[in-house]
Amino acid sequence: MSHETTGIEYLFQDPKIHLDERVRDLVSRLTLEEKVESMLQYQPAIDRLGVAAYKHGTEAAHGIAWLGEATSFPQPVGLACTWDTELMRLIGSVIADEARVYYCRDPKLNGLTLWAPTVDMERDPRWGRNEEAYGEDPYLTGELSKELVKGIQGDHPVYLKAVATLKHFLGNNNEVDRGSGSSSIDPRNLREYYLRAFEKPFTEGGAQSMMTSYNLINGTPATLYHGVNDIVRDEWGMDGFVVSDAGDVMGIVNDHQYYDSHTPGVAESIRAGIDSITDDAELSKQAIREALAQGTLQEEDLDRPLFHTFRVRFRLGEFDPAADNPYALIGEEALLTEQARELSLRAAREQIVLLKNEHELLPLNPARCGKVAVIGTHGNEVYRDWYSGTLPYRVTPLEAIRAKLEGEDAKERVVYRDVKNRVTLTAANDGAKLTVNSSGEMRLSQDGKPTILTMTDWGYGSVTLHDEHLGAYVTSDEETLRVTADEAYGWYVKEVFGLTPVGQGEHLWTTWNGKPVIAGTEGSLKVVEAEKSALHAVESNASTALTVSGQSHTTFQVETVSDGLAEAIAAAQAADTAIVFVGNHPLINGKEENDRPGLELAASQQRLIEEVYRVNPNTIVVLTGSYPFAIPWVQEHIPAIVYTSHAGQEHGTAIADVLFGDYAPAGRLNMTWVQSEDQLGDIKDYDIIRGGRTYQYFEGEPLYPFGHGLTYSPFEYNDLRTDAPKDSVKSIAALNAVDTLQVWVEVTNRGVAAGEEVVQLYVRPGASRVKRPLKTLCGFQRIRLEAGETRTVSFTIRMKDWAIWDVTRDCYCVESGEYTLLAGASSADIRLEHPVYVRGEVIPPRQAGRSIRAENFDDCSDIVLDENKEQREACVRPRTPQRSGWIAFHGVDMDTVSVVELQCRVSGNRSDATIELRLDAPDSEAVAHVNVGNTGGAQAWATLGEAVHSVSGTRDVYLLLSGEVRLAHFTLGANATEDSGFQA
């Protein structure tokens, strides 16, 4: 049958044709200019072909965001604490359903390619975006992300419900200098940690999109990183499309200063695997046109990414009859359903972690808990983060707690104190009072009645001011203040202020970005610029005014009308039970572009807990946070502690259900909670192995271990066993490296009520050629057991997942040896152990005479990885030119060749750049010294050699690098020039 008789004008419109052929046909019909236009996030309509306009990218981290009301779920950091893969899949499905609703409303603007989940590994709790990801363990992150992807994309063999975009690839875990800094990641950290979280959502979840990160990876902008094509596409088989983060392709010039113009960066990004550019449209298109004209881009270089993006659009059903695509039938009825509301509540409950419960203070009995004091701002608020959607409703903890104690005396039994000070502000120089009129205009008046503002102290010098009469927050722009904001919210949270004491009861009032607030003309308030030295002078000298650039910098007296802390203490003292709500605001003191200033609670919150506990020993602390906190005093003294993320619309209901026993908590921490920041290294250190990061390598005493969480019923573990046959020689269970292992453990609920348990399975490796984790998660299940019920929980483990990355051969390797399976309720609460022997490989020694890549070191000190533009591999250099660093290569067999020369592929940028060869210890005597000097720049590579005293045996090789020197690879041998594979 011809296309003419079916009404099909072009081949790509025929659903019977193979998908790839249809996509190629469409792309082939685009003009060159149409191809250029279609390389952007906003793909234009091509009317002559019947192609509609389309936008890539709808935020959906924990519900559809920014489009209107949608079901809200807990922050991803909370979802990770559920350890519930089924729940993640159901949530993904709801998110996709609601994305379909908004797509139907406006398909040009509300696309079905969703920017979620965030798969970045969270090796540091100070990261400002901690609420967006799934924790510090790659196995947990991979499993949860994989299921969310499946839920979003659906299970139809042809069509996608929506598309999940994994972000941010790769090594993106600090906000300070995120757009210009480089993440130094060696091959073992890369392969065993950072990549593993991304792998399963692609290989098992089928994710159809990925977003690159802002940072450099070993000196290369992530948009240009070879791993996008080599690993994600070629190794993992991802057949969707790759999108750049907002503004990041232009950031190659603007932030990284990697090129002098946008044209080479845009061209190289496209060749390196970027299919869709989220950036300044005109600049991007102009750069593509220039690259085409210069010949650095060919038309086929555009065909490839357009094939990827349009292929995904085809799978979403855009080019097929609606009757063929079951997801096209999703309509308004799928938005804010009762089932979605119930799922939101389930998620909010499941993510709550009971950190401590001394003397079984929880759950509270409504009939016997007496008078309850609910204390703290978080007790009557539900906050949303930057990627939260518009909540259709919100239930606060106070509302839910009062509902639990319903009756005529409920209001009398539950007393609430928000702990906010009510204050007035007065200009210190002339006594003018701050007033607010009915329209929110703020002025200083000598005669008017001062306006009372409620002040919330968020710690670290951040406060918010609220006018209860107007029901609005004080906010600022570049020049003025006004009381008009419904909430503290925005990319720049302009409702945050500083009121810094400067002596004698006076304060310097500054805006969110540090600009002073001063008295203007005729009683107005004005925001002005100020030099840092001037601000420092004001803070130091406590003068009432300082003139900088002609501006008088007013200081203010803050008079307390009512003391929120005193009121809270009185309420706690009069109550039988005190519930103190503390935590963070998700947009203050830690968010995108801002790492956290510290791990502690706000000082005012810490004091609140201590003062309430002093007058009422029956104190419960509910900690609402986007990240872990360092709370050793709270853990030592407070009998019951509950943790929750900012959990969305059912936040309060879930908390009350846990507090009063209508739901038994079973959440588990997705990150190690340290006792203090002193237990952490530099936030920019991405080496978790040598840095002792995460539960896998941390040897200190944590506050709460990874996987920690209590519940209301005791669970008993018995009979950990496997299906591995016993080895006649080893006398323990043994199997081969290619095998799959079945593991079973019996779990019994010994409590008097039903409850849930998260059964965790870890593996501890034995002797190894390299430093291995103390233990690694290899399985988990969240189960529900009735009182007295016993269940056999099973796990299936692939031995290949126990592989390490062998840097001597650039491949994964399962080492031969004994491994111990560990079953328990957390990484520290191990109940049962079971040994197994794996018949794998023994990694052979390195062979002298062969070229060794410098990045494949076994150990290092004061070294970072950087870019080698000559080849697609990293080089190494000292962390700073002022301090030497070394790399070590263990077990090099020197007897394979008569070693008489060290030959290095190097670059030097200073006359004192050198490399020394030492054996067996970094401080041993040098046996070779290479003067590198200045080769012409950091990327001016040269091959330099130096004679070596005759050595033999198997030795540890240390290379000491000094000055501005970079090393790509080296060879030890008699004829290094012939065998090294160096490029001239």
Side-chain angles (χ1 to χ4, degrees):
M1 184 179 294
S2 69
H3 289 325
E4 287 75 9
T5 59
T6 60
I8 294 174
E9 185 176 358
Y10 303 111
L11 183 70
F12 73 82
Q13 295 171 327
D14 189 350
K16 297 185 179 66
I17 303 299
H18 189 277
L19 171 63
D20 290 356
E21 190 175 351
R22 295 176 69 191
V23 180
R24 280 192 288 268
D25 179 69
L26 171 58
V27 173
S28 72
R29 296 180 186 278
L30 302 178
T31 67
L32 182 58
E33 182 58 25
E34 286 169 344
K35 291 178 181 180
V36 171
E37 295 272 348
S38 298
M39 287 297 299
L40 278 298
Q41 176 192 15
Y42 288 85
Q43 293 185 312
I46 304 171
D47 295 332
R48 65 183 183 84
L49 298 176
V51 176
Y54 186 85
K55 176 197 172 189
H56 292 293
T58 294
E59 298 293 353
H62 48 116
I64 294 298
W66 306 353
L67 302 184
E69 289 187 355
T71 303
S72 67
F73 296 97
Q75 295 174 299
V77 67
L79 293 177
C81 291
T82 69
W83 292 54
D84 189 336
T85 54
E86 178 198 44
L87 174 69
M88 296 298 292
R89 192 165 187 168
L90 293 173
I91 289 172
S93 183
V94 168
I95 290 172
D97 284 342
E98 298 194 343
R100 279 277 172 183
V101 174
Y102 279 103
Y103 174 73
C104 289
R105 290 182 182 179
D106 190 347
K108 293 181 180 179
L109 290 179
N110 303 332
L112 291 171
T113 45
L114 310 183
W115 285 352
T118 297
V119 189
D120 300 299
M121 292 313 305
E122 299 189 309
R123 86 243 167 338
D124 196 302
R126 294 168 294 193
W127 185 33
R129 301 181 74 173
N130 192 86
E131 76 271 6
E132 292 184 42
Y134 296 91
E136 68 180 30
D137 182 78
Y139 182 86
L140 177 66
T141 295
E143 290 292 322
L144 296 178
S145 299
K146 174 185 74 176
E147 295 304 318
L148 187 78
V149 168
K150 288 181 178 179
I152 287 174
Q153 299 190 165
D155 56 7
H156 194 275
V158 176
Y159 297 105
L160 300 165
K161 185 187 288 189
V163 168
T165 301
L166 309 187
K167 57 182 191 177
H168 310 83
F169 192 83
L170 187 71
N172 176 57
N173 193 213
N174 60 272
E175 294 303 292
V176 175
D177 301 327
R178 68 170 183 170
S180 58
S182 180
S183 300
S184 176
I185 306 175
D186 68 83
R188 278 199 63 209
N189 277 282
L190 178 72
R191 291 285 184 167
E192 297 176 25
Y193 188 66
Y194 294 100
L195 288 178
R196 279 192 171 167
F198 280 88
E199 184 174 2
K200 278 190 177 180
F202 283 122
T203 59
E204 298 179 21
Q208 286 290 290
S209 183
M210 182 183 82
M211 178 184 288
T212 52
S213 55
Y214 284 118
N215 53 282
L216 301 106
I217 304 165
N218 297 338
T220 300
T223 52
L224 311 182
Y225 180 53
H226 69 86
V228 173
N229 283 327
D230 293 352
I231 299 171
V232 179
R233 289 200 180 280
D234 295 345
E235 289 187 29
W236 297 344
M238 195 274 271
D239 57 0
F241 74 96
V242 178
V243 60
S244 63
D245 206 342
D248 196 29
V249 173
M250 298 299 109
I252 295 172
V253 172
N254 297 338
D255 300 316
H256 299 305
Q257 299 176 1
Y258 191 84
Y259 288 121
D260 294 331
S261 72
H262 294 305
T263 300
V266 171
E268 193 172 338
S269 291
I270 293 170
R271 292 198 305 271
I274 298 299
D275 303 309
S276 176
I277 299 173
T278 309
D279 217 311
D280 184 293
E282 294 309 315
L283 281 177
S284 300
K285 288 184 288 187
Q286 184 60 31
I288 295 173
R289 295 184 190 109
E290 289 177 0
L292 289 167
Q294 294 168 4
T296 55
L297 271 184
Q298 305 299 320
E299 187 169 356
E300 54 264 31
D301 291 323
L302 303 186
D303 292 345
R304 184 171 49 255
L306 291 175
F307 176 86
H308 296 149
T309 54
F310 277 108
R311 189 177 190 277
V312 167
R313 288 177 63 176
F314 270 90
R315 291 199 62 194
L316 287 166
E318 178 183 342
F319 298 94
D320 293 354
D324 293 352
N325 176 11
Y327 303 127
L329 303 177
I330 296 173
E332 291 291 330
E333 76 286 345
L335 183 65
L336 300 174
T337 66
E338 179 61 23
Q339 293 79 10
R341 186 199 68 78
E342 292 173 355
L343 191 66
S344 175
L345 176 57
R346 172 182 165 183
R349 286 168 165 170
E350 287 195 18
Q351 55 92 45
I352 292 176
V353 182
L354 182 60
L355 296 174
K356 182 181 179 182
N357 192 24
E358 200 171 63
H359 309 308
E360 296 185 347
L361 179 57
L362 293 176
L364 298 172
N365 186 325
R368 296 199 295 267
C369 65
K371 190 173 183 178
V372 177
V374 176
I375 297 170
T377 302
H378 287 80
N380 198 30
E381 293 282 359
V382 177
Y383 295 107
R384 61 191 185 117
D385 61 41
W386 178 243
Y387 292 110
S388 293
T390 302
L391 277 60
Y393 64 90
R394 58 188 77 197
V395 181
T396 72
L398 176 63
E399 293 167 341
I401 290 169
R402 281 181 170 155
K404 294 294 182 186
L405 302 176
E406 61 183 349
E408 293 183 2
D409 63 343
K411 288 189 177 180
E412 296 178 5
R413 288 184 64 189
V414 181
V415 177
Y416 175 61
R417 296 291 182 269
D418 61 17
V419 202
K420 300 175 183 177
N421 286 347
R422 271 67 181 170
V423 301
T424 61
L425 276 70
T426 304
N429 58 338
D430 63 4
K433 306 290 186 182
L434 177 69
T435 62
V436 181
N437 65 21
S438 59
S439 63
E441 182 184 3
M442 305 181 72
R443 301 188 66 79
L444 292 169
S445 173
Q446 296 286 350
D447 305 319
K449 181 180 179 181
T451 296
I452 298 174
L453 300 174
T454 61
M455 183 169 68
T456 304
D457 179 5
W458 295 104
Y460 302 100
S462 298
V463 301
T464 51
L465 300 166
H466 185 264
D467 187 324
E468 291 181 310
H469 178 68
L470 294 180
Y473 285 87
V474 180
T475 188
S476 68
D477 56 24
E478 293 304 308
E479 296 182 354
T480 61
L481 302 182
R482 59 195 182 281
V483 183
T484 55
D486 293 332
E487 60 182 326
Y489 188 80
W491 180 260
Y492 300 113
V493 188
K494 298 181 179 181
E495 295 73 44
V496 174
F497 295 92
L499 283 169
T500 306
V502 292
Q504 301 176 359
E506 298 175 21
H507 297 75
L508 179 68
W509 190 1
T510 52
T511 61
W512 63 277
N513 54 352
K515 294 183 178 181
V517 177
I518 68 168
T521 59
E522 299 180 357
S524 65
L525 289 173
K526 190 174 182 181
V527 178
V528 296
E529 298 283 350
E531 300 172 5
K532 291 183 179 180
S533 58
L535 292 180
H536 177 73
V538 172
E539 294 171 2
S540 302
N541 299 329
S543 59
T544 58
L546 183 70
T547 299
V548 178
S549 302
Q551 300 286 355
S552 175
H553 285 250
T554 312
T555 58
F556 292 83
Q557 292 178 334
V558 181
E559 181 180 346
T560 301
V561 177
S562 63
D563 186 330
L565 178 60
E567 293 172 350
I569 294 170
Q573 194 165 18
D576 299 287
T577 304
I579 309 175
V580 181
F581 286 83
V582 294
N584 80 307
H585 188 296
L587 290 169
I588 300 174
N589 296 331
K591 60 178 285 291
E592 188 166 356
E593 286 200 333
N594 299 107
D595 290 314
R596 298 169 65 188
L599 300 181
E600 295 78 15
L601 290 169
S604 59
Q605 293 185 356
Q606 178 66 34
R607 184 184 175 196
L608 169 65
I609 297 170
E610 295 177 11
E611 291 296 323
V612 169
Y613 177 67
R614 180 176 58 82
V615 300
N616 191 331
N618 291 326
T619 294
I620 300 160
V621 168
V622 178
L623 179 58
T624 301
S626 304
Y627 32 62
F629 290 89
I631 51 168
W633 188 96
V634 180
Q635 167 60 22
E636 180 181 355
H637 295 90
I638 301 301
I641 310 169
V642 172
Y643 167 71
T644 172
S645 72
H646 296 274
Q649 61 197 45
E650 293 287 349
H651 178 74
T653 308
I655 291 171
D657 285 348
V658 166
L659 293 177
F660 288 92
D662 295 311
Y663 182 82
R668 299 292 191 268
L669 295 180
N670 66 328
M671 296 182 71
T672 302
W673 287 34
V674 296
Q675 300 199 47
S676 79
E677 193 172 350
D678 295 339
Q679 293 179 302
L680 301 174
D682 188 333
I683 192 173
K684 296 181 182 179
D685 181 5
Y686 279 77
D687 189 338
I688 71 160
I689 298 173
R690 295 161 193 86
R693 295 296 188 94
T694 82
Y695 78 96
Q696 294 190 45
Y697 296 97
F698 180 61
E699 296 184 355
E701 184 67 30
L703 181 67
Y704 303 114
F706 172 79
H708 171 72
L710 308 176
T711 188
Y712 294 153
S713 295
F715 287 84
E716 182 178 283
Y717 287 63
N718 289 291
D719 193 20
L720 177 62
R721 61 191 188 278
T722 74
D723 68 346
K726 183 173 289 188
D727 186 275
S728 58
V729 177
K730 301 294 181 181
S731 298
I732 60 172
L735 69 166
N736 298 318
V738 296
D739 291 342
T740 297
L741 180 69
Q742 292 297 130
V743 182
W744 298 275
V745 61
E746 288 186 357
V747 182
T748 303
N749 180 354
R750 293 300 185 192
V752 296
E756 293 174 84
E757 174 77 343
V758 178
V759 184
Q760 301 169 41
L761 188 68
Y762 297 84
V763 61
R764 181 177 64 219
S768 172
R769 179 189 174 278
V770 297
K771 182 180 179 180
R772 296 290 297 270
L774 303 171
K775 61 178 72 73
T776 301
L777 184 70
C778 60
F780 65 90
Q781 283 191 43
R782 183 168 181 140
I783 61 172
R784 176 181 172 82
L785 297 179
E786 298 298 321
E789 181 183 358
T790 297
R791 183 180 306 173
T792 299
V793 180
S794 64
F795 301 93
T796 301
I797 299 173
R798 302 175 302 185
M799 290 299 95
K800 69 176 186 178
D801 291 338
W802 291 0
I804 63 170
W805 184 255
D806 177 14
V807 294
T808 73
R809 296 174 295 173
D810 290 314
C811 65
Y812 283 108
C813 166
V814 179
E815 289 184 293
S816 291
E818 187 173 311
Y819 296 75
T820 304
L821 290 165
L822 312 167
S826 83
S827 62
D829 185 6
I830 300 301
R831 310 289 180 84
L832 300 170
E833 299 187 5
H834 184 85
V836 294
Y837 186 84
V838 179
R839 305 182 195 95
E841 298 180 77
V842 176
I843 298 174
R846 285 186 167 98
Q847 303 295 307
R850 295 180 180 176
S851 177
I852 298 175
R853 295 216 310 271
E855 66 175 337
N856 279 335
F857 52 77
D858 289 306
D859 201 0
C860 70
S861 176
D862 286 314
I863 286 290
V864 295
L865 285 88
D866 211 331
E867 185 177 44
N868 174 6
K869 290 186 177 181
E870 185 178 59
Q871 294 185 347
R872 291 204 302 183
E873 63 188 42
C875 63
V876 301
R877 63 170 174 81
R879 186 174 301 276
T880 65
Q882 293 75 33
R883 184 172 178 177
S884 299
W886 55 259
I887 50 177
F889 302 84
H890 297 153
V892 180
D893 184 356
M894 301 293 190
D895 292 334
T896 57
V897 65
S898 177
V899 178
V900 295
E901 187 177 26
L902 165 68
Q903 196 166 87
C904 305
R905 190 66 176 169
V906 293
S907 72
N909 208 26
R910 207 168 69 180
S911 60
D912 61 351
T914 63
I915 296 177
E916 288 185 355
L917 170 63
R918 302 179 179 190
L919 299 176
D920 303 326
D923 56 355
S924 64
E925 184 178 352
V927 296
H929 183 100
V930 179
N931 287 309
V932 178
N934 191 335
T935 62
Q939 296 299 329
W941 296 92
T943 299
L944 301 177
E946 183 68 22
V948 179
H949 300 295
S950 181
V951 293
S952 61
T954 299
R955 312 290 291 271
D956 291 343
V957 170
Y958 289 82
L959 294 174
L960 185 75
L961 283 67
S962 302
E964 291 190 28
V965 60
R966 286 170 168 79
L967 174 65
H969 37 222
F970 70 96
T971 300
L972 290 165
N975 298 299
T977 304
E978 296 178 11
D979 301 331
S980 68
F982 290 152
Q983 296 182 2

